[in-house]
Amino acid sequence: MSWTVIQQIIPVFVQAFWLTLKLSFYGIIGAIIVGMIASFLRYFKVPVLRQISAVYTEVSRNTPLLIQLFFIYYAFPEIGIKISASAAGISGLIFLGGSYMAEAIYGGLNGVAKIQVESGLAIGLSRGQLARYVVFPQGLTLSIPAIAANVIFLIKETSIFTVIAIPELTNTALDQIGLYYHTDESLFVLVIAYAIILIPLSIVLTWLERRTRRGAFGN
Amino acid sequence: MAHSGINVLFAGQNFSRLLGGLWISAKISIVALVIGILLGVLLGALRTVKNPLLRTILRLYLEFFRIVPTVVLLFLFYYILPKNFNVNLNAQAVAMLVFALWVAAEMSDIVRGALISVPQHQKEAGLAIGLNGPQLYRYVLLPQAVGLMIPATINLMTRVIKTTSLLLLISVMDVVNIGQQIIEANRQQYPDGAFWIYGLIFILYFLLCYPLSAWARRLEQRQNNNA
């Protein structure tokens, strides 16, 4: 391993680093939105839409991201839907992440103590008010650790974007290995880059878990 | 364009080749799961032992495998073992090794979590009737922890199966790799082959994973109802 090579390749990796963060950011925001919609449909037992969201959750959770990406990027054009690699990557991440976020959020909503819901009904709140003032504030707080765990999971999944040739971190490392044989250096920088993103997040996650456990409501 | 795309699945030996590829993925998953789960139970039990050094090492092992994405783990072992340690394994063996170590790491956390949630009085009762350390784990703690570990372990299995889709990146002839070959070879005759081949692979993975995750969920619900 040579430090000169590492210095040489760092600029390319910095670019890839920001790209990875950018794609993760859009993917995660999208996944949280999809997850919220899917979990609300399930929690409020909206007919028909609830079943559709259940089917979506099962399909998305039980298939690998790589195949989802291949399908979006290589199979969709054959039926007339063409999108760029980055758009395919972000869509794939949203498709996969949406169901994980839905489970996390639903778990939180479902974890709100029954007594809270009953008390709300007893003081005459409407369903909408119950959701707005009782269920969401508590449920969403409860689901934060699971959402954070999914954020880490989804950022790691962006490494699979390499298969549709998005120049994120893993793809950049493979390029460096394939073109210049900078094998050790590239893999070293790659692991460090993921560590820079994920170690702080995993520390935050541990802290959040501890806080939400202490911040239980009403008991 | 006289051919309907779906025929690409059944032309020649395509279908049996795809299933052959799926079998390679299944074989790697099974070997990795068996080795990984056994090793993981051992490591998980060790993580409940009060030895700070051992605990730190095992914790670092877990965190390393948690933080580095699986694709990257595959590349690390695939490139670094032969180059720097002169260990030449074929791609399938590398995959089994990486997956087994990864499963062991995840499993150790599942086992630790289950062991520390066995009520304290069980442990004390065991000690009171004179069991030594290994006996305590063998007869008291592990049997009670197994039930708690099963749903998480099944979910880990589905994760391993899904992750086998990455094997094509280290040129294992898995179902995805064979699918790509078929698409390329039939590009002229079946221009929309990708749709059908990737569609089939998508369904195959779903058929493997869905029953497992449904089973895990049922077990979890039953445990929650009993609690």
Side-chain angles (χ1 to χ4, degrees):
Chain A
M1 189 142 65
S2 112
W3 289 105
T4 7
V5 172
I6 290 183
Q7 280 174 352
Q8 228 175 60
I9 60 179
I10 279 195
V12 224
F13 272 95
V14 169
Q15 260 185 341
F17 182 86
W18 292 119
L19 183 65
T20 297
L21 283 185
K22 197 177 88 182
L23 297 175
S24 308
F25 178 78
Y26 290 132
I28 288 163
I29 295 294
I32 291 177
I33 294 171
V34 171
M36 280 192 167
I37 296 170
S39 59
F40 292 172
L41 292 176
R42 185 169 162 207
Y43 187 78
F44 294 110
K45 302 196 169 65
V46 181
V48 188
L49 291 176
R50 175 173 63 138
Q51 276 84 357
I52 295 175
S53 106
V55 171
Y56 154 69
T57 309
E58 293 302 340
V59 171
S60 143
R61 283 181 72 96
N62 288 304
T63 49
L65 177 63
L66 183 127
I67 309 294
Q68 295 170 359
L69 289 176
F70 273 181
F71 209 76
I72 295 170
Y73 192 59
Y74 295 118
F76 275 12
E78 292 178 359
I79 53 169
I81 305 165
K82 274 203 176 74
I83 50 175
S84 71
S86 310
I90 294 171
S91 322
L93 207 59
I94 294 175
F95 181 80
L96 175 82
S99 65
Y100 281 83
M101 290 299 183
E103 295 280 301
I105 296 167
Y106 180 78
L109 297 178
N110 216 21
V112 174
K114 214 165 172 223
I115 192 169
Q116 293 282 332
V117 178
E118 286 164 355
S119 313
L121 289 172
I123 59 168
L125 297 182
S126 69
R127 273 179 70 90
Q129 285 172 326
L130 191 69
R132 161 79 184 75
Y133 296 106
V134 180
V135 177
F136 286 177
Q138 299 186 37
L140 296 181
T141 315
L142 288 176
S143 61
I144 285 175
I147 292 177
N150 285 339
V151 166
I152 294 178
F153 162 70
L154 291 175
I155 293 176
K156 283 169 64 181
E157 290 288 293
T158 61
S159 58
I160 298 171
F161 287 179
T162 185
V163 297
I164 53 170
I166 295 175
E168 44 69 62
L169 285 167
T170 306
N171 192 268
T172 306
L174 288 181
D175 252 14
Q176 291 293 322
I177 296 170
L179 294 174
Y180 309 109
Y181 293 109
H182 292 156
T183 311
D184 295 347
E185 293 84 358
S186 303
L187 290 173
F188 177 73
V189 177
L190 180 63
V191 172
I192 298 292
Y194 279 117
I196 291 174
I197 303 175
L198 296 168
I199 290 179
L201 279 176
S202 109
I203 293 171
V204 171
L205 170 64
T206 319
W207 178 77
L208 279 174
E209 271 171 350
R210 222 173 291 145
R211 276 203 62 132
T212 37
R213 215 179 303 143
R214 219 182 302 144
F217 294 86
N219 304 309
Chain B
M1 250 308 277
H3 300 273
S4 164
I6 195 167
N7 289 327
V8 70
L9 299 181
F10 306 104
Q13 311 218 304
N14 288 354
F15 196 72
S16 62
R17 283 190 65 206
L18 283 169
L19 289 184
L22 196 65
W23 167 241
I24 302 273
S25 313
K27 196 175 69 181
I28 292 173
S29 310
I30 293 167
V31 173
L33 280 165
V34 170
I35 299 175
I37 287 175
L38 291 176
L39 186 61
V41 170
L42 180 71
L43 296 181
L46 287 176
R47 283 186 62 200
T48 60
V49 173
K50 284 193 178 50
N51 177 334
L53 179 68
L54 189 65
R55 278 182 143 180
T56 315
I57 293 171
L58 291 175
R59 183 73 202 270
L60 286 176
Y61 171 70
L62 169 71
E63 293 298 332
F64 177 78
F65 276 86
R66 278 243 169 109
I67 282 181
V68 181
T70 324
V71 191
V72 180
L73 289 173
L74 285 171
F75 287 132
L76 281 177
F77 282 77
Y78 187 63
Y79 285 114
I80 288 182
L81 279 185
K83 188 161 175 273
N84 299 352
F85 297 91
N86 240 331
V87 181
N88 284 298
L89 298 172
N90 66 34
Q92 283 192 36
V94 171
M96 286 174 191
L97 178 68
V98 171
F99 279 29
L101 291 174
W102 169 55
V103 170
E106 291 286 351
M107 194 66 201
S108 78
D109 212 38
I110 296 172
V111 172
R112 191 191 81 100
L115 282 175
I116 58 177
S117 58
V118 174
Q120 185 70 16
H121 65 253
Q122 291 285 336
K123 191 177 168 185
E124 285 160 4
L127 290 172
I129 59 168
L131 298 182
N132 63 26
Q135 283 174 329
L136 189 69
Y137 278 91
R138 165 75 185 77
Y139 294 107
V140 181
L141 298 178
L142 280 172
Q144 298 192 52
V146 165
L148 298 172
M149 288 160 16
I150 287 174
T153 309
I154 299 170
N155 280 328
L156 183 59
M157 284 179 191
T158 65
R159 274 175 69 198
V160 171
I161 294 172
K162 283 188 284 178
T163 313
T164 56
S165 62
L166 305 178
L167 294 176
L168 105 139
L169 289 165
I170 57 167
S171 354
V172 173
M173 272 299 148
D174 74 329
V175 62
V176 188
N177 212 334
I178 288 176
Q180 283 189 330
Q181 287 184 349
I182 293 175
I183 291 166
E184 289 310 319
N186 295 283
R187 183 66 73 199
Q188 294 290 323
Q189 212 178 351
Y190 301 102
D192 59 351
F195 184 79
W196 297 100
I197 297 278
Y198 290 139
L200 176 72
I201 297 175
F202 195 92
I203 293 169
L204 286 175
Y205 269 106
F206 182 78
L207 290 178
L208 282 179
C209 295
Y210 177 70
L212 284 173
S213 59
W215 183 30
R217 195 170 39 225
R218 237 192 1 256
L219 289 175
E220 253 166 25
Q221 269 162 3
R222 200 181 306 157
Q223 281 176 4
N224 288 343
N225 292 342
N226 288 344

